[in-house]
């Protein structure tokens, strides 16, 4: 089951007003991977996603799903959209009904399922995103995080192979954002290909299998998170900062607290473990303090 | 006679001014019309609604995005009618959205959007009613839009400045709505001596106090809005096929 | 406004089949409208008010406030119906002489006006029972079952949802304007309100394009099909509704002749 599921080959695209949003973009998304797209505002992330789902059509170049060039007749588009779902940035322009149940059932019904099947799908999706308890509430009384979950459930219920999230954590508080990332991991563990765009380098660094950096409608760089975030010159050029883990690791290494060959950790806990293992070799201030107290007592 | 009539009208005006609350577009309240009238007006409105639905159904088939456009248009008209018009007298009144809605979305669509908006106003805001939905739809979503659109097209054709056309469409569309409502009420409650006409005059007079300033206010607002739209929303106006010309407020 | 909507989602009859609530409100409103008796209408008003406060669980203060919403129209309406004027002295007109001009109330008009008040408020209480106990989504669901055309139902679904989205947008724009000293004079108010409206229109149209894109990505192709919540009809409640309405009808018929004072 490995191999590319989506391929974009030299795609160009301009909006009707003449804005050249994609200018020769090429990339490959592996089946089952976790891919992050980074890039400044206007780099073309959303436009790219709309190409992957057949909403927009390249003026030049091709998009492939499962090895086949996309075709833009109604049938083929339905088939594609069944397999590639997008969760948009603003749930308020995705949720069309005041009823959570109705909104989630929309996609499955479009796939031609019976009412019973749809009910099953909706229940499954509600459980997967953990919002069974709010299924009865109107969408206009939900918090942003809850609305995002409803939007995600609406796509999950169609059981696509690829799910694309456009800025899933934007304007969420840190806790909600973290829960959302856990949800994305769950979805990925189910074998789905998960693609997200974000402006948060820390999320990109810790979460992704593969990172694409976009700039002015092109791919500026691609690679594993470690490769991308160690390339300071490139980061500088596209105005990206380094993830704090990379910053701290580099600082410790350059000042000799870590050996020059220390591996770059991916997560906060890995970094802390690394630091702790180094600290075992040096002595601790708390030991000194307790020793001193013991001396005082004796004296 | 006419001087005495004026005296009486002044008295009614006083009553209306003292009446509490805010001036909404005049919808007949729930239960105010006797059953035969309520049913009659529903029947009269039905053909317009059917025609409007037909025209929407036909266009949606070719352009599926129109459903979303009309949906947002309906929500827009509803929210518009919940805004408060600035007024000199300090009383607060709400626009009807008929004029702007009609110019933007056409009378046929407005009959459908109108009945939905009136339905939501009745259930969510307790303005108007469900038994009087037929009558209110007829005055606000049939007569109002047709008068607005006729005046707008007519004065554009006669070469009037766009601002004048827009003002007339919005203000007189409101007035037509409220005169129609008065006629509906007068038909239901004719005066004992003067019959329909006396009652018609009475209803017009008492509601004029709130509805005439409202019409003028809404006319002004619509001109301001249209002026801005023709500068900042040319694209949308073109999609809705409205001539884009500079308006002078 | 939003209060009515909030109660509709959080009340004691939330789990009851919407068809039952709609039928109860509609049949009672029908009786009220057709009732020839003032007593019958008052009985309906009392019954519905009691049902809404005691059974649906709406705080009575809020309910009374809601009853005042149509007061302005009702007052203006009944005054217009009740008060007549005449240029000659008229013995049938109980009232005062204003500049040699008789202004007053006729017997018949008084009867008409008072039954008008009872009928209107009675029907209003039926409407409130429905709107305070039944979420709009479920009312729309019943309309769909009643074979209201699909386009109308779909439009209602979208409009209802986006009323709230656009209200929030309006609130944001308004706050932004006020925080920059908007609406400080009459002419400024018109300019700022115009700005708000045109901005709202612009955003509405953008939203509609976005919505089309997002729904298309979920395989929209011109038709919107959705699930309805499952609610069970109850025979017991059906009988109760039938019983109450039968009593109200009987009261209306029995007290038919009473209002000739
Ligand atoms: N509907 C549209 N019409 C015209 N131009 C558009 C439209 N949508 C996007 N653009 C333009 O296309 C370019 C790419 O936009 P896109 O939305 O794909 O960027 P993005 O990477 O998603 O940015 P952001 O981080 O702000 O979401 C931008 O210059 C943008 O202004
Ligand atoms: Mg974007």
């Amino acid at each position: 089951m490995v191999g590319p599921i989506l391929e974009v080959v030299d795609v160009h695209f301009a909006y009707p007003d003449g804005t050249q949003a994609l200018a020769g973009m090429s990339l490959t998304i592996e089946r089952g991977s976790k891919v992050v797209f980074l890039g400044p505002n206007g780099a073309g992330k959303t436009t790219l996603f709309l190409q992957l789902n057949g909403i927009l059509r390249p003026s030049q170049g091709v998009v492939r799903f499962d090895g086949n060039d996309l075709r833009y007749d109604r049938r083929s588009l339905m088939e594609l959209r069944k397999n590639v779902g997008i969760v948009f940035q603003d749930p308020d322009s995705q949720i069309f009904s005041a009823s959570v149940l109705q909104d989630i059932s929309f996609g499955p019904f479009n796939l031609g399922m019976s009412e019973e099947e749809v009910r099953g799908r909706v229940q499954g999706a509600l459980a997967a995103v953990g919002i069974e308890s709010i299924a009865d509430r109107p969408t206009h009384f939900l918090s942003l995080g809850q609305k995002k979950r409803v939007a995600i459930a609406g796509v999950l219920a169609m059981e696509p192979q690829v799910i694309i999230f456009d800025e899933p954590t934007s304007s969420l508080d840190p806790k909600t954002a973290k829960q959302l990332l856990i949800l994305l991991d769950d979805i990925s563990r189910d074998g789905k290909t998960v693609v997200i765009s974000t402006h948060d380098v820390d999320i990109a660094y810790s979460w992704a299998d593969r990172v694409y950096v976009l700039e002015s409608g092109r791919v500026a760089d691609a690679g594993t998170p470690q490769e991308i975030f160690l390339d300071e010159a490139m980061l500088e050029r596209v105005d990206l900062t380094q993830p704090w883990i990379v910053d701290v690791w580099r600082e410790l290494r350059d000042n000799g607290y870590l050996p020059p060959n220390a591996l770059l950790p991916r997560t906060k806990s890995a970094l802390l473990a690394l630091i702790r293992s180094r600290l075992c070799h040096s002595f601790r201030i708390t030991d000194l303090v307790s020793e001193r107290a013991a001396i005082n007592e004796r004296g | 006679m006419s001087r005495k009539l004026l005296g009486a009208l002044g008295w009614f005006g006083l009553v209306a001014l003292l009446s509490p609350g805010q001036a909404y577009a005049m919808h007949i309240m729930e239960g105010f019309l006797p059953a035969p009238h309520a049913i009659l007006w529903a029947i009269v409105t039905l053909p317009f609604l059917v025609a409007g639905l037909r025209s929407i159904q036909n266009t949606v088939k070719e352009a599926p995005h129109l459903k979303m456009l009309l949906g947002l248009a309906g929500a827009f008209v509803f929210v518009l009618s919940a805004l408060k018009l600035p007024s000199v007298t300090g009383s607060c009144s709400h626009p009807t959205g008929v004029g702007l809605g009609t110019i933007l979305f056409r009378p046929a669509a407005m009959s459908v959007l109108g009945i939905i908006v009136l339905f939501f106003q009745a259930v969510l805001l307790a303005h108007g009613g469900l038994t009087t939905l037929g009558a209110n739809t007829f005055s606000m979503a049939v007569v109002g839009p047709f008068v607005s659109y006729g005046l707008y097209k007519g004065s554009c054709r006669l070469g009037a400045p766009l601002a004048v056309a827009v003002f007339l469409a919005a203000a007189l569309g409101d007035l037509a709505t409220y005169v129609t409502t008065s006629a509906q009420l007068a038909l239901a409650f004719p005066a004992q001596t003067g019959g329909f006409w006396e009652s018609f005059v009475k209803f017009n007079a008492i509601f004029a106090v709130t509805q005439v300033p409202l019409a003028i206010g809404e006319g002004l607002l619509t001109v301001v809005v249209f002026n801005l739209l023709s500068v900042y929303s040319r694209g949308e106006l073109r999609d809705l096929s409205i001539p884009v010309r500079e308006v002078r407020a | 406004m939003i209060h009515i909507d909030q109660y509709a989602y959080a009340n004691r009859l939330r789990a009851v089949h919407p068809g039952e609530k709609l039928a109860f409100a509609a049949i009672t409103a029908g009786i009220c409208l057709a009732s020839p008796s003032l007593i019958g209408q008052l009985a309906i008003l009392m019954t519905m008010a009691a049902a809404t406060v005691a059974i649906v669980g709406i705080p009575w203060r809020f309910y009374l406030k809601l009853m005042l919403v149509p007061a302005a129209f009702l007052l203006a309406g009944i005054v217009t119906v009740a008060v007549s004027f005449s240029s000659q002295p008229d013995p049938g007109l109980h009232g005062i002489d204003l500049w040699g001009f008789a202004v007053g109330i006729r017997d018949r008009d008084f009867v008409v006006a008072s039954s008008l008040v009872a009928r209107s408020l009675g029907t209003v209480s039926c409407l409130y029972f429905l709107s305070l106990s039944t979420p709009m989504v479920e009312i729309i669901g019943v309309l769909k079952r009643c074979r209201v055309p699909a386009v109308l139902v779909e439009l209602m679904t979208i409009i209802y949802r986006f009323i709230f989205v656009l209200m929030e947008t309006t609130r944001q724009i308004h706050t932004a304007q006020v925080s920059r000293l908007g609406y400080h004079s009459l002419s400024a108010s018109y300019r700022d309100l115009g700005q708000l409206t045109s901005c709202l229109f612009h955003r509405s149209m953008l939203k509609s394009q976005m919505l089309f894109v997002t729904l298309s990505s979920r395989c929209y192709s011109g038709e919107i099909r959705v699930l309805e919540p499952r609610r069970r009809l109850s025979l017991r409640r059906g009988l109760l509704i039938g019983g109450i309405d039968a009593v109200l009808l009987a009261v209306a018929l029995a007290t038919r002749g009473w209002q000739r004072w």
Side-chain angles (χ1 to χ4, degrees):
Chain A
M1 280 282 278
V2 282
I5 188 160
L6 280 165
E7 288 163 279
V8 173
V9 187
D10 191 34
V11 163
H12 292 252
F13 177 81
Y15 280 102
D17 66 354
T19 314
Q20 189 73 32
L22 301 181
M25 186 172 287
S26 297
L27 52 94
T28 306
I29 293 172
E30 296 292 324
R31 195 182 295 274
S33 60
K34 300 198 283 185
V35 182
V36 168
F37 283 90
L38 280 170
N41 294 126
K45 300 178 294 289
T46 304
T47 310
L48 169 69
F49 293 166
L50 293 174
Q51 299 277 351
L52 297 180
N53 178 265
I55 299 276
L56 297 178
R57 190 177 178 159
S59 53
Q60 189 190 318
V62 288
V63 179
R64 290 198 195 104
F65 174 75
D66 235 353
N68 301 315
D69 290 6
L70 294 196
R71 283 182 302 155
Y72 294 85
D73 58 294
R74 221 178 102 157
R75 256 268 196 81
S76 320
L77 281 180
M78 283 297 206
E79 192 55 32
L80 172 73
R81 290 172 189 170
K82 184 176 148 185
N83 287 312
V84 182
I86 307 183
V87 178
F88 290 86
Q89 181 174 358
D90 177 15
D92 275 340
S93 49
Q94 173 166 352
I95 300 171
F96 73 94
S97 169
S99 150
V100 172
L101 200 69
Q102 290 193 346
D103 189 80
I104 301 176
S105 68
F106 173 76
F109 267 127
N110 287 338
L111 301 183
M113 294 182 188
S114 72
E115 196 177 317
E116 274 323 299
E117 284 175 292
V118 172
R119 265 185 212 282
R121 286 284 181 100
V122 171
Q123 284 311 322
L126 283 172
V129 300
I131 52 169
E132 293 116 312
S133 60
I134 59 164
D136 237 15
R137 277 207 265 156
T139 46
H140 49 265
F141 294 145
L142 300 183
S143 70
L144 182 63
Q146 289 168 330
K147 281 195 263 193
K148 287 218 173 191
R149 278 171 192 260
V150 173
I152 294 172
V155 174
L156 272 186
M158 300 174 74
E159 299 190 353
Q161 298 181 38
V162 184
I163 307 190
I164 300 171
F165 295 84
D166 201 357
E167 309 204 12
T169 55
S170 69
S171 49
L172 290 184
D173 65 59
K175 185 172 161 228
T176 317
K178 201 167 170 190
Q179 289 169 342
L180 202 92
L181 285 176
I182 293 172
L183 176 61
L184 297 193
D185 274 331
D186 291 343
I187 294 171
S188 164
R189 217 165 299 127
D190 278 350
K192 299 198 188 306
T193 309
V194 181
V195 177
I196 71 173
S197 71
T198 181
H199 292 290
D200 187 328
V201 287
D202 294 313
I203 288 176
Y205 176 71
S206 298
W207 186 82
D209 294 337
R210 190 169 176 80
V211 177
Y212 278 97
V213 180
L214 303 189
E215 193 201 7
S216 324
R218 283 193 200 83
V219 177
D221 203 357
T224 64
Q226 285 97 333
E227 286 163 8
I228 293 291
F229 289 107
L230 285 174
D231 185 351
E232 265 176 303
M234 185 278 300
L235 293 179
E236 187 95 9
R237 211 178 62 235
V238 297
D239 276 333
L240 282 175
T241 53
Q242 282 199 332
W244 72 267
I245 294 177
V246 180
D247 260 347
V248 172
W249 174 82
R250 199 193 289 269
E251 191 67 18
L252 291 174
R253 191 196 57 177
D254 292 353
N255 288 296
Y257 292 102
L258 292 174
N261 63 349
L263 284 177
L264 178 53
R266 277 290 293 284
T267 60
K268 179 176 162 184
S269 51
L271 176 68
L272 292 182
L274 182 64
I275 294 173
R276 233 175 276 127
S277 74
R278 296 301 301 170
L279 286 179
C280 288
H281 303 300
S282 46
F283 75 95
R284 297 195 296 188
I285 292 178
T286 42
D287 294 344
L288 201 66
V289 172
S290 52
E291 211 163 282
R292 173 106 183 241
I295 294 170
N296 282 350
E297 234 164 65
R298 248 177 271 142
Chain B
M1 166 78 195
S2 74
R3 233 194 68 230
K4 290 172 179 174
L5 197 70
L6 273 180
L9 296 189
W11 187 81
F12 286 126
L14 205 66
V15 172
L17 266 185
L18 292 177
S19 62
Q22 312 170 331
Y24 277 90
M26 202 170 72
H27 302 335
I28 303 175
M29 76 177 283
E30 181 72 302
F32 204 80
L33 287 181
H37 285 260
I39 295 168
L40 186 85
W41 287 113
I43 293 173
V44 170
T45 309
L46 202 61
F48 295 95
L49 184 64
V50 171
L53 276 177
R54 280 266 164 76
S55 103
I56 290 179
Q57 259 157 345
N58 289 338
T59 22
V60 163
K61 228 169 265 163
E62 284 143 38
H65 73 275
L66 225 76
K67 216 175 259 176
M68 283 84 227
L69 185 114
L70 285 172
L72 265 296
F76 172 72
V77 173
F78 183 98
V79 174
L80 189 61
S81 72
L83 296 177
K84 288 183 186 134
L85 278 176
S87 88
V88 215
T89 58
S91 79
C92 120
S93 59
H94 302 262
T96 64
V98 168
L100 186 59
T102 305
I103 300 173
L104 292 174
F105 310 116
R106 300 301 141 83
M110 271 307 275
S111 66
V112 177
L113 297 185
I115 194 171
I116 299 178
V117 167
L118 284 167
F119 182 87
F120 286 155
Q121 284 181 337
V123 178
L124 301 174
L125 302 178
H127 296 152
L130 297 185
T131 61
T132 52
L133 192 60
N136 287 332
T137 306
F138 185 74
S139 63
M140 209 199 86
V142 176
V143 174
F146 275 99
V147 169
S148 273
Y149 202 63
L151 281 170
Y152 175 71
K153 283 277 147 178
S155 29
C156 278
R157 195 155 303 154
L158 289 178
L162 201 50
V164 173
V166 169
F167 180 82
L168 288 179
L172 296 187
D174 276 10
L175 287 184
T177 301
Y178 118 83
V179 170
T180 308
T181 308
S182 297
Q184 290 169 327
L185 290 169
L187 277 175
F189 307 102
Q192 199 168 23
T193 50
F196 167 80
W197 287 106
E198 184 189 324
S199 184
F200 182 56
V201 170
K202 281 200 288 182
F203 276 114
N204 269 321
I206 198 163
F207 290 115
V209 182
T210 54
Q211 300 300 309
V212 171
L214 190 157
I216 296 171
E218 176 154 11
L220 289 176
L221 176 71
T222 310
V223 172
V224 175
V225 172
F226 221 75
N227 203 358
L228 289 165
L229 289 183
S230 59
V231 179
Y232 297 112
S233 299
R234 278 162 179 273
E236 282 95 338
L237 293 192
R238 208 173 300 115
D239 292 345
L240 297 165
S241 63
I242 291 162
V244 185
R245 256 195 288 156
E246 193 63 34
V247 201
R248 274 284 132 77
Chain C
M1 98 155 249
I2 311 301
H3 292 297
I4 296 184
D5 190 65
Q6 272 168 343
Y7 283 118
Y9 287 96
N11 65 76
R12 291 193 218 130
L13 293 191
R14 174 72 205 274
V16 171
H17 193 289
E20 292 172 22
K21 293 181 276 193
L22 192 67
F24 183 45
I27 296 170
T28 318
I31 297 174
C32 188
L33 213 55
S35 166
S37 143
L38 186 108
I39 308 281
Q41 288 155 347
L42 289 178
I44 288 175
L45 173 58
M46 291 303 149
T47 311
M48 280 315 216
T52 311
V53 173
I55 301 177
V56 182
I58 305 302
W60 60 270
R61 275 171 189 283
F62 176 74
Y63 191 72
L64 283 184
K65 250 192 246 160
L66 212 54
M67 274 290 171
L68 285 179
V69 171
F73 182 92
L74 190 59
L75 196 66
I78 54 164
V79 164
T80 315
V81 168
V83 176
S84 306
F85 42 91
S86 164
S87 46
Q88 285 109 38
D90 188 337
L93 209 59
H94 313 295
I96 50 165
D97 192 73
L98 226 63
W99 306 296
F101 192 76
V103 178
I105 300 174
R106 288 177 212 282
D107 284 343
R108 190 205 72 143
D109 289 341
F110 181 74
V111 174
V112 170
S114 54
S115 80
L116 194 51
V117 173
R119 187 179 69 205
S120 302
L121 291 181
T123 324
V124 164
S125 70
C126 298
L127 171 65
Y128 288 176
F129 174 84
L130 176 71
S131 60
L132 290 167
S133 69
T134 319
M136 181 54 81
V137 178
E138 296 186 21
I139 297 179
I140 297 174
V142 175
L143 294 182
K144 188 156 86 180
R145 288 253 174 104
C146 297
R147 308 203 171 256
V148 168
V151 197
L152 200 59
V153 169
E154 293 170 356
L155 279 179
M156 288 177 88
T157 302
I158 298 178
I159 291 175
Y160 175 62
R161 159 85 181 115
F162 281 91
I163 281 173
F164 293 93
V165 175
L166 294 189
M167 297 254 275
E168 177 57 24
T169 311
T170 306
R171 204 188 52 74
Q172 286 166 359
I173 301 172
H174 188 262
T175 310
Q177 288 177 321
V178 171
S179 72
R180 283 176 286 159
L181 301 184
Y183 302 95
H184 60 83
S185 69
L186 188 67
S187 63
S189 296
Y190 270 99
R191 198 193 51 221
D192 294 339
L193 191 64
Q195 212 119 43
L196 183 147
T197 310
S198 77
C199 185
L200 191 67
F201 170 76
H202 186 76
R203 300 237 189 125
S204 307
M205 295 300 102
L206 270 184
K207 269 258 172 330
S208 90
Q209 287 167 13
M210 273 307 291
L211 187 66
F212 177 60
V213 165
T214 59
L215 293 193
S216 297
S217 87
R218 285 199 278 163
C219 296
Y220 167 72
S221 60
E223 200 191 341
I224 300 178
R225 258 194 89 189
V226 289
L227 275 185
E228 296 300 332
R230 270 193 181 140
R231 301 235 187 272
R232 224 170 298 156
L233 283 167
S234 136
L235 183 65
R236 228 189 65 221
R237 280 194 301 263
L239 290 176
L240 186 67
I241 291 170
I244 294 175
D245 278 331
V247 171
L248 289 173
L249 186 64
V251 169
L253 291 176
T255 58
R256 188 164 22 176
W258 290 15
Q259 58 195 5
R260 314 222 175 279
W261 330 83

